[in-house]
């Protein structure tokens, strides 16, 4: 079994009661290995973002199991699911959601607010996350004092500050110009080379080709995979196993 395993996962919505069922995910089976970089593509409404939210322990599937690092995440009590998200998963969204009145350092440290560690350690972890994205020297600046690419890197640093084994990204370059988007993708590629497992939803074919594997979705299902045009590479690095 891989680091992440989906077993016959489905997601239905009933907007107008039981008589009206909309299937968003249909019998998804998927294995992702540790340190893999996977791009998820497909037309709007194909289920990409729903899949990401299910993987992120934010959207309980209607059926099936989601297993990450041998943990059946939706069998956990709700309060433990919140702990799981904090410990295991970093999120990067199309909108960076940086707080304008906080410095880059303070924005990055936000996920550590409930961590039972000293303020000094929180600061050191946030600085280390900024170092990983090349922005230590701008730790004291407000988001408005940063370029679009720098804001994107701060958002990635915030996702990494808890050292999560899994990074989930939903259209991380969707609102960026091509040059700034290239900066963010170079960062993702470098993080993956260091061993970070990444699952990225994208409409951008050039971005997708930087991944080890492209998963294509249509009508809530994963299309049969093909290695054509996708570079298969050996996974690198080891992530710390967490209980």
């Amino acid at each position: 079994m891989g680091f992440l395993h989906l077993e016959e996962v489905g997601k239905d919505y009933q907007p107008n009661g039981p008589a009206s069922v909309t299937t968003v995910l249909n019998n998804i089976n998927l294995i992702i290995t540790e340190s893999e970089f996977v791009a998820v593509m497909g037309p709007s409404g194909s289920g990409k973002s729903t899949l990401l939210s299910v993987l992120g322990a934010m959207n309980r599937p209607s059926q099936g199991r989601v297993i990450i690092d041998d943990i059946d995440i939706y069998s956990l009590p709700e309060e433990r699911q919140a702990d799981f998200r904090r410990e295991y998963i970093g999120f990067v969204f199309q909108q960076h959601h940086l707080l304008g009145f906080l410095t880059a350092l303070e924005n990055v440290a936000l996920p550590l607010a409930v961590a039972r560690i000293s303020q000094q350690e929180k600061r050191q972890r946030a600085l280390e996350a900024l170092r990983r994205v090349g922005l230590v020297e701008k730790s004291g600046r407000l988001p408005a004092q940063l370029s679009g690419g720098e804001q994107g890197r701060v958002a990635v640093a915030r996702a990494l500050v808890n050292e999560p084994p899994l990074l989930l990204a939903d259209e991380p370059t969707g609102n960026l110009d091509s040059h700034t988007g290239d900066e963010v993708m170079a960062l993702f590629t470098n993080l993956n080379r260091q061993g970070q497992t990444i699952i990225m939803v994208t409409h951008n074919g050039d971005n997708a080709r930087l991944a080890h594997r492209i998963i294509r979705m249509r009508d809530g299902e994963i299309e049969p995979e093909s290695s054509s045009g996708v570079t298969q590479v050996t996974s690198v690095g080891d992530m710390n196993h967490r209980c």
Side-chain angles (χ1 to χ4, degrees), residues 128-228:
E128 173 59 20
L130 284 169
R131 184 198 64 76
R132 291 185 70 186
V133 302
L135 282 179
V136 169
E137 74 283 359
K138 297 186 178 181
S139 62
R141 295 194 181 183
L142 297 173
Q145 298 170 317
L146 301 171
S147 69
E150 289 168 342
Q151 291 179 31
R153 284 192 276 163
V154 171
V156 173
R158 182 181 56 194
L160 296 172
V161 73
N162 277 323
E163 300 181 355
L166 178 61
L167 187 65
L168 301 179
D170 194 356
E171 296 286 0
T173 67
N175 284 337
L176 304 177
D177 61 59
S178 59
H179 175 73
T180 305
D182 288 346
E183 285 184 29
V184 172
M185 289 309 304
L187 173 59
F188 272 45
T189 302
N190 186 51
L191 290 169
N192 178 248
R193 287 180 182 140
Q194 297 173 28
Q196 182 72 55
T197 306
I198 301 173
I199 303 175
M200 176 185 68
V201 166
T202 183
H203 282 102
N204 188 310
D206 290 336
N207 290 351
R209 281 187 283 274
L210 296 173
H212 298 167
R213 181 161 51 126
I214 298 175
I215 292 171
R216 300 184 187 276
M217 295 191 67
R218 184 174 295 275
D219 299 329
E221 298 182 352
I222 292 179
E223 296 181 340
E225 290 188 45
S226 169
S227 60
S228 176

Side-chain angles (χ1 to χ4, degrees), residues 21-69:
V21 177
T22 300
T23 298
V24 183
L25 297 178
N26 183 26
N27 197 39
I28 300 291
N29 290 284
L30 178 65
I31 294 176
I32 292 174
T33 59
E34 199 171 34
S35 302
E36 192 172 11
F37 185 0
V38 175
V40 182
M41 301 191 75
S44 297
S46 60
K48 304 183 302 299
S49 293
T50 300
L51 176 65
L52 213 62
S53 67
V54 168
L55 291 174
M58 297 187 296
N59 192 356
R60 180 180 293 275
S62 304
Q63 62 268 343
R65 298 200 302 162
V66 179
I67 300 169
I68 298 178
D69 201 18

